[in-house]
Amino acid sequence: MNRRSFAQSVGGAIALSALSGSSVAEQSLSGGAAGRIMAIAAHPGDGLFTMGAVLAQQIERGGTAALLSLSLGEKGAPKDIQVPQYGEMQRAATEKANHLLGVESIFFAYPDAEIPFNEEITLAVSDSIRQYKPDVVITHWSGSWHKDHKNCHLIVRDAVFYAALATLARSRPAHSVAKIYYADNWEDASNFAPDTYLDIEAIYEKWLQACDFYPMWRGQTGFFRYNDYYSALAIMRGCLSGYQHAVALMSDPEQRMSRPRSL
Ligand SMILES: [Zn+2]
């Protein structure tokens, strides 16, 4: 993949949508018809805490959403719980949380902290995109200290390109994702510059309930106060955007072209 090919893949879909004036993705994120969103996260906690509210909001509006977790995040196990057992706890929490929100769960279960960046996983994610056919994909921003998050970012960008490449023969036909957004994650904060704010007021409390299925949300597995951070972040983002509670997203730099006939 190169930069130009990626831009043609993603930007091309946007340009077509702009020309037709009926972009499902654009409408979904700006008040029109709801669409299909797919979140792709390195670990389930990232999926629910940083992307879950966006998925829940889309479902609340009549759309559909899926969360693909590349690993179970099992190596975040506290001292008194074995790693495999913690992985199953993470899976169970994810299934409960997604069930509450109406989100479809997809698990790849690559080893936590060892998510590779290679053709095998990229094609697997691409196949999943071709199967689910999302209008919008949300994933990690690249500015992360965590190797799994950085690899997830790279995997998803290439997977979106592969998914749209009609000449790449796979078991399912090609599918073009209209837009990619990056999530507001405390571990992916380097150069994160949000430009899209979503009103999540209608599902804020439900999303908090979903997150509460995870022991880590309540600070039971480590030092970081996830519940305080992400519940307060929604308030802070709401202050900046004029909503009571909001989620901030960063659009992919390749898709920021606008086409006004005049200013
Ligand atoms: Zn993570």
Side-chain angles (χ1 to χ4, degrees):
M1 190 200 85
N2 59 42
R3 184 181 172 88
R4 179 178 295 274
S5 298
F6 179 81
Q8 286 171 340
S9 169
V10 177
I14 295 163
L16 287 173
S17 298
L19 286 169
S20 70
S22 60
S23 166
V24 173
E26 186 64 34
Q27 289 172 354
S28 299
L29 291 164
S30 63
R36 295 172 73 80
I37 293 190
M38 187 174 193
I40 304 174
H43 312 112
D46 299 307
L48 263 297
F49 305 166
T50 76
M51 310 172 198
V54 179
L55 304 183
Q57 191 232 29
Q58 195 69 11
I59 290 166
E60 195 267 342
R61 296 181 59 245
T64 58
L67 167 61
L68 167 57
S69 299
L70 300 183
S71 83
L72 294 174
E74 70 276 8
K75 291 198 177 73
K79 288 178 183 170
D80 58 340
I81 300 176
Q82 295 294 309
V83 166
Q85 183 188 352
Y86 187 66
E88 288 313 308
M89 290 171 63
Q90 288 272 95
R91 181 194 293 272
T94 304
E95 288 174 340
K96 285 180 185 173
N98 282 342
H99 180 73
L100 176 65
L101 300 178
V103 175
E104 182 179 331
S105 298
I106 308 169
F107 297 101
F108 274 8
Y110 280 85
D112 184 16
E114 300 175 53
I115 294 173
F117 174 45
N118 59 31
E119 290 298 281
E120 177 199 291
I121 189 169
T122 303
L123 286 168
V125 172
S126 171
D127 288 344
S128 193
I129 291 170
R130 286 189 178 193
Q131 180 175 6
Y132 191 72
K133 302 185 183 71
D135 306 304
V136 175
V137 164
I138 306 172
T139 192
H140 292 271
W141 171 235
S142 61
S144 180
W145 67 267
H146 198 303
K147 63 189 287 286
D148 283 353
H149 293 197
K150 286 189 285 192
N151 280 352
C152 183
H153 175 90
L154 295 170
I155 289 163
V156 171
R157 283 176 61 94
D158 282 5
V160 165
F161 168 63
Y162 280 160
L165 193 59
T167 49
L168 181 67
R170 303 291 289 176
S171 61
R172 294 183 176 82
H175 172 76
S176 291
V177 173
K179 292 195 174 184
I180 301 176
Y181 288 91
Y182 303 116
D184 194 0
N185 189 318
W186 76 284
E187 294 173 301
D188 307 341
S190 293
N191 299 315
F192 181 80
D195 51 49
T196 302
Y197 291 77
L198 295 179
D199 178 6
I200 61 165
E201 184 59 21
I203 51 79
Y204 179 68
E205 293 297 333
K206 194 175 183 182
W207 166 65
L208 292 180
Q209 286 177 32
C211 294
D212 199 48
F213 285 117
Y214 293 85
M216 65 186 294
W217 177 254
R218 284 170 263 126
Q220 294 176 355
T221 62
F223 72 93
F224 191 76
R225 293 153 54 199
Y226 285 91
N227 52 355
D228 284 346
Y229 181 82
Y230 283 109
S231 58
L233 183 65
I235 296 170
M236 184 274 274
R237 294 304 190 192
C239 292
L240 295 176
S241 57
Y243 298 126
Q244 200 66 27
H245 296 95
V247 164
L249 299 169
M250 178 175 172
S251 61
D252 191 275
E254 302 285 0
Q255 70 191 27
R256 290 185 195 157
M257 178 181 72
S258 66
R259 301 161 54 87
R261 292 198 180 275
S262 64
L263 292 177

